[in-house]
Amino acid sequence: MTQRSSRPSRPQRAHPPRGRTGPARPPVDDPARQAALDTLRAVRQRDAYANLVLPGILRERRITGRDAALATELTYGSLRAQGLLDAVLAACTDRPLSEVDGAVLDALRLGAYQLLRTRIPAHAAVASTVDLVRADRGSGAAGFANAVLRRVTGQDEAAWVEEVAPDEDTDPIGYVAMANAHPRWIAQAFAEALGSRGEPLREALAADDMRPAVHLAARPGECSADELAAMTGGEAAPYSPYGVHLDAGAGDPGDLDPVRQRLAAVQDEGSQLCAVALTRVPLEGRDERWLDLCAGPGGKAVLLGSLAVLSGASMDAVEKAPHRADLIRKAAGDLPITVHVADGRESGLEEGGFDRVLVDAPCTGLGALRRRPEARWRRQPSDVAPLARLQRELLTAALTLVRPGGVVAYVVCTPHLSETVGVVADVARRTEAEWLDAREFFPGVPDLGDGPQVQLWPHKHGTDAMFCAMLRRPV
Ligand SMILES: C[S@@+](CC[C@H](N)C(=O)[O-])C[C@H]1O[C@@H](n2cnc3c(N)ncnc32)[C@H](O)[C@@H]1O
């Protein structure tokens, strides 16, 4: 525990000024931090996605190399750590953060992230942040930012965690959640899925708090994983036969030649494994028609579609949102995938007409938080119940579209039990579908637990926390 009495004396809590104070200055010459700050602002003001905004800013302003890497690290890091940063910043001001000007708060988060979670020297982190605030909001706001950040420099991240986190003995989940910058309810959901609030939970949250490697999927029939690894300087993935891992700092993977040429796609290895698992389930009789019932933007549909072509099957894809259906068509290129814009619960497709069906259902995405840095602070516990209802309805519909003896893969990128085994157990009971042991369709993947479902984890498998269950329609 930190000895609070021995902490170096810190400046008094800072008072935020009201509105712009003093004359604004011209923009500062700090393209990386300015790009990060502008992205944080878009995320806060417009509910934008950082992974869509930042690459656009970098391209538009021609920011490359070390500046682009720094902007990316600061943006994603500040967003991921936001709850922890806010708790620290709140301890350094005399008013609730809700009363601090939003633009100043963005800068404070950026500054606090540099102070607590990077090796950037404290004086540089404070001075560069204060310069940004002065240019944007004037000298009064700059003074406030300076006072707050000087207070943050008083101790390191571990000591701040001890100060702002719930007590570890009375609320171990709240403590580990704060220490790894996760909302408590998400840490609770992870704990329930892992069956542990101890070391496995800490490892899971810590892995979820790291910037992940970029995963690519080579398109079957077009390019092998080894060829893709050679083209991109990456490494063949440990489990997916089509997967390649790239260093996280490798820039926008959408710009890679093999991705532009549709020889490969950006896709988490866990997603690849779940799609491929569906093709590995043995079927008796016909195996000609495959369906993806929630297909946009098309990642799994394209992988399945490529495998369908190789095995002589046809591929249909259903997507409710028209613009996401367009993304499937774009991703598919000349692959023969028939795209239907429809609600998967009432698609109008032939009942019993398909041999293999994928339900990659809409979900909270709690298993892919490391790839969507702002998502953990946007999602709410109240999101779970309506999604679980929709998931049940989609899975039930899939079990009418698949023929007797055919197989349905239920996949979500969340480990939340209400969206995973809760959905599958309920639908399997009501439809009398056979719940197959999915583990055998993930050959070579270790540590898959007791089954019959598969739950992948970043800390165990290096993938997103994908869930997969296999159901066979009774004959
Ligand atoms: C998890 S995403 C699917 C990701 C996709 N399989 C991939 O790998 O790229 C779920 C998709 O389901 C779509 N969706 C939501 N409700 C739906 C419904 N009732 N019927 C069909 N699709 C739906 C969403 O628009 C979203 O594109």
Side-chain angles (χ1 to χ4, degrees):
M1 283 293 275
T2 306
Q3 297 298 308
R4 289 177 197 198
S5 54
S6 66
R7 206 186 308 138
S9 65
R10 285 179 268 139
Q12 293 301 300
R13 283 170 174 247
H15 306 270
R18 301 205 180 273
R20 183 196 294 275
T21 48
R25 301 269 176 90
V28 292
D29 184 21
D30 190 344
R33 288 183 180 82
Q34 190 68 58
L37 188 61
D38 293 345
T39 307
L40 297 190
R41 184 174 298 187
V43 169
R44 177 178 52 78
Q45 286 185 330
R46 299 192 267 118
D47 271 353
Y49 296 100
N51 64 343
L52 300 183
V53 173
L54 182 64
I57 290 181
L58 297 180
R59 240 191 316 269
E60 196 179 289
R61 300 181 191 173
R62 296 169 203 262
I63 300 172
T64 55
R66 290 175 59 163
D67 276 343
L70 179 62
T72 305
E73 157 69 12
L74 298 186
T75 305
Y76 292 174
S78 303
L79 288 170
R80 250 187 233 114
Q82 188 171 299
L84 171 62
L85 301 177
D86 283 1
V88 171
L89 291 168
C92 297
T93 58
D94 68 351
R95 301 230 174 91
L97 290 190
S98 56
E99 291 179 19
V100 175
D101 177 79
V104 176
L105 182 56
D106 293 334
L108 289 174
R109 288 169 173 160
L110 198 60
Y113 174 74
Q114 293 171 69
L115 291 170
L116 299 180
R117 289 196 157 188
T118 72
R119 292 185 183 166
I120 295 170
H123 63 87
V126 174
S128 59
T129 308
V130 170
D131 284 350
L132 288 170
V133 175
R134 184 177 297 108
D136 186 35
R137 310 302 289 165
S139 55
F144 167 67
N146 186 47
V148 173
L149 292 178
R150 280 182 50 220
R151 197 155 193 274
V152 175
T153 60
Q155 52 190 355
D156 65 10
E157 180 184 355
W160 272 117
V161 167
E162 295 304 325
E163 182 163 332
V164 299
D167 179 71
E168 188 169 6
D169 294 330
T170 53
D171 183 4
I173 292 181
Y175 175 86
V176 78
M178 181 64 85
N180 293 283
H182 280 68
R184 192 188 184 288
W185 75 276
I186 293 180
Q188 175 82 39
F190 278 33
E192 285 164 13
L194 287 161
S196 161
R197 15 163 87 198
E199 190 53 19
L201 175 60
R202 197 201 59 73
E203 283 176 18
L205 294 174
D208 205 43
D209 211 21
M210 313 264 283
R211 190 152 171 238
V214 171
H215 295 183
L216 302 178
R219 191 184 271 194
E222 297 285 342
C223 171
S224 73
D226 286 339
E227 286 165 343
L228 181 59
M231 281 187 257
T232 56
E235 274 185 20
Y239 311 123
S240 165
Y242 311 106
V244 166
H245 289 194
L246 295 182
D247 184 31
D252 183 354
D255 287 341
L256 293 166
D257 281 343
V259 176
R260 284 176 185 275
Q261 294 161 9
R262 296 210 181 84
L263 299 174
V266 181
Q267 186 176 45
D268 178 73
E269 188 180 1
S271 288
Q272 299 173 38
L273 289 170
C274 292
V276 174
L278 173 62
T279 71
R280 287 181 167 144
V281 181
L283 287 188
E284 283 197 10
R286 196 188 71 181
D287 186 10
E288 294 166 359
R289 296 190 66 194
W290 299 2
L291 170 67
D292 183 343
L293 197 58
C294 304
K300 294 184 193 67
V302 166
L303 181 53
L304 280 176
S306 306
L307 292 168
V309 166
L310 294 176
S311 73
S314 67
M315 180 77 206
D316 286 66
V318 170
E319 167 58 47
K320 190 176 171 193
H323 70 283
R324 290 175 74 85
D326 285 342
L327 294 175
I328 305 170
R329 293 188 188 97
K330 199 169 152 208
D334 52 9
L335 264 184
I337 298 178
T338 308
V339 179
H340 312 264
V341 180
D343 188 316
R345 294 168 292 183
E346 299 169 338
S347 62
L349 296 178
E350 185 191 350
E351 294 199 354
F354 296 90
D355 305 304
R356 300 179 191 269
V357 179
L358 172 67
V359 182
D360 187 21
C363 70
T364 53
L366 301 189
L369 297 176
R370 53 192 197 138
R371 298 197 189 277
R372 297 172 199 152
E374 65 282 322
R376 70 183 70 171
W377 309 108
R378 270 197 193 147
R379 278 288 176 202
Q380 298 298 324
S382 56
D383 295 337
V384 176
L387 283 165
R389 203 171 312 123
L390 175 59
Q391 290 156 357
R392 268 190 222 105
E393 291 167 1
L394 286 162
L395 180 53
T396 303
L399 282 158
T400 65
L401 293 168
V402 77
R403 67 166 169 88
V407 64
V408 174
Y410 174 75
V411 175
V412 278
C413 60
T414 171
H416 198 297
L417 292 178
S418 301
E419 300 181 84
T420 58
V421 287
V423 169
V424 180
D426 182 48
V427 174
R429 181 176 46 75
R430 283 189 295 100
T431 60
E432 298 184 352
E434 182 190 357
W435 191 343
L436 307 178
D437 190 336
R439 292 173 301 170
E440 57 191 280
F441 311 118
F442 289 73
V445 182
D447 214 355
L448 292 180
D450 299 332
Q453 71 278 1
V454 162
Q455 177 64 68
L456 301 172
W457 287 99
H459 67 295
K460 292 183 183 177
H461 307 105
T463 64
D464 289 348
M466 302 293 302
F467 171 91
C468 179
M470 294 291 179
L471 295 177
R472 194 186 294 280
R473 180 170 169 182
V475 180

